[in-house]
Amino acid sequence: MNIYYNEKDLNSYLEHLKVNNKTIGFVPTMGALHLGHASLIEKGLQQNDIVVVSIFVNPTQFDNQEDLVKYPRTLEKDTKLLSRISKTKITVYAPTVEDIYGEHVQSTSFSYDGLEHEMEGRFRDGHFDGVGTIVKRLFEIVQPDKAYFGEKDFQQLMIVKKLVEKHHLPVQVVGCKIHREKDGLAMSSRNMRLKAEYRKAAPFIYKTLNAAKEKFGVSSANKVTKWVENQFANHELLELEYFIIANVDTLKTVKRKSNNNTYRAFIAVYADDIRLIDNIALN
Ligand code: PAF
């Protein structure tokens, strides 16, 4: 499997593909790959001649330095997983911070028409500026035909679509369903850091989302939100940061539901010092 550590080497390889009219799928990741990533890559392989997987823990999207330091870095294990998927059609791009940012490790400020002020944007200062900065930079380096993002980070997916629209970037953004463990926990690179008792407790998040979905059929958004908050107030290990029922187009918290709109519930929970997010379509 090809692995490139800098833009120049990756570019000479990609040039050769483009001259031969090969299509390029792109899966940006921060490594610590799991089956959720594998499903994005497999979709990419079905729709393109080759898939570039970037592995880069992007410093500018972390609002919490400890989270950045502790973020799992498992390049060797990651490349093993990738070579089990395909030895010939996957290319890894694992740049250094310097290759991406040069001397100034800082993000550009983006406006995503208000999407950035909701949920993750509200609780993680500067997060979506960091995401926009790295995704735009990676799109410019890789120049993919299609790029794949998981719905677990639903707000990120919408923000990337907005980034592409506003900056006229020539790439099609493809959203992919959330991949879950057998017990319902949404797959995430952070799951591997959960201590056993927290890992055991974590499926409560998806269980609660499912129950909220059922309640939303017959109750107001406000009542469902209060109910979820109570479930977590009584929980010994999991601490709720937010539960929000939002309109999928604006991501604004719903005040009164209407039959013409589509809603989704979003949740962020601390399991010890590990922050987990999830979401579910409600209608
Ligand atoms: O979803 C992620 O892993 C990251 O936010 C991304 C898209 C790779 C940008 O660093």
Side-chain angles (χ1 to χ4, degrees), residues 209-221:
L209 283 182
N210 269 306
K213 177 178 178 150
E214 212 161 287
K215 288 185 188 299
F216 188 69
V218 291
S219 280
S220 70

Side-chain angles (χ1 to χ4, degrees), residues 27-31 37 54 56-58 61-62 71 127 130-132 134-135 138 148-150 153 156 160 189:
V27 180
T29 82
M30 298 206 294
H37 293 115
S54 64
F56 179 66
V57 182
N58 174 35
Q61 72 186 75
F62 286 80
Y71 201 87
H127 175 64
V131 169
I134 186 62
V135 170
L138 290 171
Y148 299 82
F149 291 81
D153 298 290
Q156 168 173 278
V160 171
S189 305

Side-chain angles (χ1 to χ4, degrees), residues 6-277:
N6 65 64
E7 182 180 352
K8 199 163 149 264
D9 294 345
L10 177 73
N11 267 340
S12 27
Y13 168 71
L14 293 178
E15 280 295 308
H16 153 83
L17 290 175
K18 281 180 187 143
V19 167
N20 290 295
N21 284 327
K22 301 283 185 211
T23 54
I24 299 169
F26 178 42
V27 180
T29 82
M30 298 206 294
L33 302 180
H34 49 68
L35 294 179
H37 293 115
S39 73
L40 303 185
I41 294 161
E42 269 151 16
K43 193 158 186 179
L45 287 171
Q46 284 161 16
Q47 299 182 344
N48 302 275
D49 294 315
I50 76 129
V51 169
V52 175
V53 177
S54 64
I55 297 181
F56 179 66
V57 182
N58 174 35
T60 64
Q61 72 186 75
F62 286 80
D63 59 325
N64 175 335
Q65 278 309 299
E66 199 184 326
D67 193 24
L68 170 62
V69 171
K70 287 191 177 163
Y71 201 87
R73 288 156 171 89
T74 56
L75 187 59
E76 209 171 304
K77 214 167 138 221
D78 291 347
T79 49
K80 274 196 190 127
L81 182 143
L82 292 173
S83 62
R84 282 202 297 274
I85 302 174
S86 169
K87 284 198 175 55
T88 53
K89 293 187 165 176
I90 297 176
T91 293
V92 176
Y93 176 44
T96 59
V97 171
E98 205 186 3
D99 195 41
I100 293 292
Y101 285 102
E103 280 175 13
H104 305 287
V105 185
Q106 60 194 32
S107 52
T108 312
S109 172
F110 289 93
S111 153
Y112 308 98
D113 295 347
L115 293 174
E116 71 276 26
H117 301 312
E118 309 301 325
M119 302 183 292
E120 294 300 284
R122 199 150 7 116
F123 287 90
R124 300 183 69 187
D125 202 24
H127 175 64
F128 287 123
D129 282 339
V131 169
T133 304
I134 186 62
V135 170
K136 188 161 178 283
R137 175 92 173 94
L138 290 171
F139 281 175
E140 283 159 1
I141 295 171
V142 178
Q143 297 182 32
D145 296 281
K146 293 191 169 84
Y148 299 82
F149 291 81
E151 285 186 349
K152 185 177 79 70
D153 298 290
F154 193 88
Q155 187 175 13
Q156 168 173 278
L157 168 64
M158 290 194 59
I159 279 194
V160 171
K161 283 186 176 163
K162 185 61 83 181
L163 176 84
V164 163
E165 181 195 313
K166 289 188 97 163
H167 295 265
H168 310 289
L169 306 176
V171 50
Q172 186 189 332
V173 176
V174 183
C176 305
K177 293 261 162 296
I178 299 176
H179 221 72
R180 297 185 180 280
E181 301 289 352
K182 280 205 183 73
D183 57 16
L185 178 64
M187 286 192 186
S188 162
S189 305
R190 290 189 164 87
N191 293 352
M192 68 174 71
R193 289 186 47 222
L194 291 168
K195 289 187 198 122
E197 54 180 329
Y198 288 93
R199 173 62 190 84
K200 215 169 147 209
F204 183 76
I205 300 168
Y206 184 53
K207 211 173 132 218
T208 309
L209 283 182
N210 269 306
K213 177 178 178 150
E214 212 161 287
K215 288 185 188 299
F216 188 69
V218 291
S219 280
S220 70
N222 207 11
K223 278 197 181 130
V224 177
T225 305
K226 290 255 148 41
W227 180 81
V228 170
E229 286 169 357
N230 269 329
Q231 299 308 299
F232 281 92
N234 297 327
H235 201 286
E236 277 180 13
L237 292 175
L238 303 176
E239 192 190 320
L240 182 67
E241 183 171 56
Y242 67 76
F243 171 84
I244 283 166
I245 295 179
N247 179 313
V248 281
D249 298 317
T250 61
L251 297 184
K252 292 214 179 305
T253 305
V254 54
K255 297 218 166 63
R256 185 173 301 164
K257 60 182 177 184
S258 113
N259 287 339
N260 305 326
N261 289 330
T262 308
Y263 301 107
R264 217 166 168 105
F266 297 86
I267 194 164
V269 170
Y270 274 97
D272 204 6
D273 60 340
I274 297 166
R275 191 171 180 277
L276 302 172
I277 60 170

